[in-house]
Amino acid sequence: MRHVPFRWLAACVPALALPALAVAQSRIDEVLVYPGGAQVTRLATVAAGARELVLNCLSARFDPDSLQIDAPAGVNLGPVQVETLPRERAPECANSPVDESIRKLEGQRDLLAAESSALDTGLGYLKALGSGEARSTPATGIAATADSIRKSAQEALLRQVQLKRQLDELDKQIAPLKGERDRLAAANPQWRSLRLRLSTAREAELKLSYRLTQAGWAPSYRALLDTAAGALTLERLAQVSQQSGEDWKNVKLRLTTVQIAQKVGPNPPRPWQLDLAAARPPAPALAGLNTVVVSGQRAALANSVAAAVEEPGGKQERFDLGVFEGSFATEFVLPLRVNMDSGTQRASLALGSEKLQAKVLTRVQPQGEAAAYLIADAAKPAGAWPRGALQLVRDGALVGSSTLNVASGEERLELPFGRDDAVRVLVEPEQRNAGNTGFIGARAEHRYGRAYVVENRHTAGAVALQVVEAAPVPQHEDIKVQSQFSPAPVTQAWRKQPGLVLWELPLAAGASQRFTADYAISAPKEAQVTGLR
């Protein structure tokens, strides 16, 4: 396999003596989609003895410098010439699906219009015939002739009404297609033509690949929870969009998490130099502010360009490139070939699923909200799961959306699945009092008393209840905290965070449980303690 990069532009080879044109057909065979771009691979067949390959009607959106040509052994490749033509100079390229649909509908309209004109002619003839026969036909035959003319005219008029309705319906279908065609024409004002010098003694297939930025994909997921069995299914989805100006028909589609970065290596190291700085007058505050703003604008502009897929008409379809940060490069290959026309707005493609066994928890955080939420707790799935949007389906019903972030620092995967309205939470009023304690009243003391009641109103089955309480944590050695909990909590450092108290216990159907937390906080009398509520 011979591999030749594109290096010759049309301006570089104006005087080539080329043989007669031999326009060839090519097709897009494979597309590799990145988070912010795509690499398109085309296949073109050259006949034995061919001296030149010409490909017309290529999108003008691909990067010419990225063009690569692979040829099998026995095929000698010469210079490549790329020409960009205005749309009006390439009428043969107007063969998009939109143009074809318009041509078919207009053909149907022409047939109906011709039939309507023929009916007009027939009705005129019937009117003339009727008036003439009325004067020449014997009295015994006038009634029969008039009835025959009446029936024929009635059928023709009814058919005309039907034709008008059909013509109006076709006009309604053609109008938006013409608008779409005009929009695509405005967004793709140019076509490219590629001409390659070569020599081959036998028929061969060439592979051409090029990159473009008007495409991309972002991950999304769907989590389906069976609360009775604890079965959790994670479905991988890919939201793919492409505005390349070329339709991808029956292509092999691959998706990768690799990002093409402009910076591929570290900056050169600089020596550590020490010197005495000369005294300088302080710069005006406004000048420094302007510098920061400009830098921020440049960074924002660079990020928006890297993450945007340009749509026809100037609108941009954006992809969050940050979703791939922190994950290993992964490639997804769709098992079946797909069709994706240019202008597709985030087509959703399935990438498989993962089945997990989850523990269904009922979690209450009464200080924040007097409500219980269902949580699915499971081991993290293997492989790369880039951060993405997540749809949550509980027992067949959509309950909301969240974000899947398997790469977080948590040891296990926890997914929320909405409120459990059958679990009632009662938050009792907080008890507070303050006073002086210790020898000669040297310390000030504050006491807090909290109580919560959780009731399981499910008619059958216990729930795995978790109650999370935020307890005071001193940040200074002079602040002392004494805590008392009932019942005894499982831990006072939930998720390795001191002060997060966790009660965890099964709560039977129809049962209730009261939780209490009492705190005594003391500090030097003259000290001002922050964080007191």
Side-chain angles (χ1 to χ4, degrees), residues 137-150:
T137 303
T140 56
I142 291 178
T145 302
D147 186 63
S148 177
I149 294 174
R150 180 185 60 79

Side-chain angles (χ1 to χ4, degrees), residues 31-39 212-221 235-243 248 253-260 306-309 317-325 327-334 340 344-352 384-389:
V31 179
L32 176 63
V33 184
Y34 299 89
Q39 178 172 303
L212 48 87
T213 58
Q214 297 83 10
W217 79 284
S220 65
Y221 307 95
E235 295 181 350
R236 293 179 185 262
L237 301 172
Q239 305 296 328
V240 185
S241 177
Q242 72 106 344
Q243 318 288 340
W248 300 345
L253 191 65
R254 295 187 294 140
L255 308 174
T256 178
T257 61
V258 173
Q259 298 185 58
I260 299 178
V309 175
E317 177 76 4
R318 298 186 178 276
F319 290 91
D320 181 8
L321 302 188
V323 300
F324 297 95
E325 295 176 358
S327 64
F328 295 100
T330 303
E331 184 173 299
F332 303 99
V333 181
L334 271 68
M340 189 171 296
T344 300
Q345 299 294 319
R346 293 218 177 204
S348 183
L349 304 176
L351 301 179
W385 295 76
R387 179 170 57 88

Side-chain angles (χ1 to χ4, degrees), residues 294-318:
V294 171
S295 300
Q297 290 174 343
R298 289 177 179 171
L301 178 61
N303 291 336
S304 66
V305 170
V309 175
E310 184 178 354
E311 296 182 10
K315 187 180 178 181
Q316 289 184 334
E317 177 76 4
R318 298 186 178 276

Side-chain angles (χ1 to χ4, degrees), residues 437-515:
T437 185
F439 183 70
I440 65 171
R443 297 180 66 84
E445 185 177 83
H446 300 265
R447 293 183 177 272
Y448 298 85
R450 298 171 180 168
Y452 320 110
V453 177
V454 181
E455 180 183 359
N456 181 5
R457 294 188 173 185
H458 286 278
T459 57
V463 299
L465 178 64
Q466 286 187 339
V467 179
V468 181
E469 157 81 358
V473 179
Q475 301 297 306
H476 193 281
E477 60 181 6
D478 285 340
I479 301 175
K480 307 299 181 182
V481 176
Q482 293 181 344
S483 305
Q484 186 174 356
F485 305 102
S486 178
V490 173
T491 178
Q492 297 186 38
W494 182 52
R495 291 180 174 175
K496 299 180 181 180
Q497 296 185 51
L500 291 186
V501 179
L502 173 68
W503 289 282
E504 184 170 5
L505 50 84
L507 187 62
S512 63
Q513 177 67 51
R514 188 170 186 266
F515 301 88

Side-chain angles (χ1 to χ4, degrees), residues 43-100:
L43 298 180
T45 302
V46 293
R51 305 298 300 273
E52 183 182 48
L53 173 67
V54 178
L55 299 179
N56 291 326
C57 304
L58 300 179
S59 171
R61 295 190 173 192
F62 72 84
D63 180 10
D65 291 333
S66 69
L67 179 62
Q68 305 285 334
I69 302 177
D70 291 338
V75 179
N76 296 316
L77 301 180
V80 181
Q81 180 179 357
V82 173
E83 184 179 9
T84 303
L85 299 173
R87 193 179 186 92
E88 56 271 14
R89 288 184 55 191
E92 70 278 6
C93 298
N95 57 354
S96 69
V98 174
D99 293 289
E100 185 63 26

